[in-house]
Amino acid sequence: MALARSFADRQDPSLHVGIILDGNGRWARARGLPRKAGHRRGAEVVREVLKGCSSRGIRYLTIYAFSSENWKRPQGEVADLMGLLRLYLRREVADLRGNGVRIAFIGDRSRLSREINALITEAEESTRHNATLTLTVAVNYGGRQEIVDAVRRIAEQVRDGDLDADEVSEETIQRHLQTRDLPDLDLVIRTSGEQRLSNFLLWQSAYTELVFVPTLWPDFTLDHLDEAIGEFQRRERRYGGARS
């Protein structure tokens, strides 16, 4: 646990880790199982990793659960994913609340069912005062669309005379993002060996350290988490400056 303690003891108390959960379908296919079996196992791993992040002093965890492009998947698989989300919201929120976890959602909720939207609202409201760890779940989310929406709202303010165009800055855009209450990402982990962001938190990842793990998400363990954290700690974050 020395690695976990060293991460928790860092000076910055607001470390933010993002995880792109990739490989559920391949995990199931390799075992001759339906894809939904991989998604179910993946949800169990989310529970384990969430507990591991809490014990390691990570204050912010954002997971990429369902992208805006995932609607292109077969209708049956999308239905299974939505059903799994409903199940998670019904079964896990009480534990999150009891363990001091605040849950929040980002993404376009307009395509989600009325039932899921109601469960999301209830989950956010019932955990909003928790402060041990903030779990942000990206559902029907796309980084480019988030930036477009922010720019559109800013343009409307300029049009209406509520904001001078010369005053628009990076901070202005930041305030209009769905993640306005979160720090930028420090570390993004992607499983399954793929090496791309896939439209995940593009603005917030400007100076993020990226760690790509070959393991499929359903096989991801806390040892893999610690290895990714160790890789993060070994890097020198210069934010465009010279090497020290």
Side-chain angles (χ1 to χ4, degrees), residues 23-35 38 216:
N24 292 339
R26 277 170 280 174
W27 182 90
R29 184 170 63 249
R31 289 159 177 77
L33 299 171
R35 290 176 68 87
L216 300 175

Side-chain angles (χ1 to χ4, degrees), residues 170-185:
E170 290 186 14
E171 290 73 21
T172 308
I173 295 175
Q174 179 73 29
R175 289 196 305 270
H176 287 79
L177 296 175
Q178 296 183 49
T179 57
R180 65 183 66 86
D181 297 325
L182 299 175
D184 281 347
L185 286 161

Side-chain angles (χ1 to χ4, degrees), residues 46-48 50-51 54 87-103 123 126-127 130 132-133 135:
V46 170
R47 184 187 305 116
E48 296 163 8
L50 181 60
K51 292 178 180 177
S54 293
L87 187 65
Y88 186 89
L89 288 167
R90 288 171 177 161
R91 291 187 175 180
E92 302 294 331
V93 172
D95 283 344
L96 297 178
R97 185 168 56 246
N99 290 320
V101 177
R102 175 182 174 237
I103 187 169
S126 66
T127 63
N130 288 351
T132 300
L133 183 150
L135 169 65

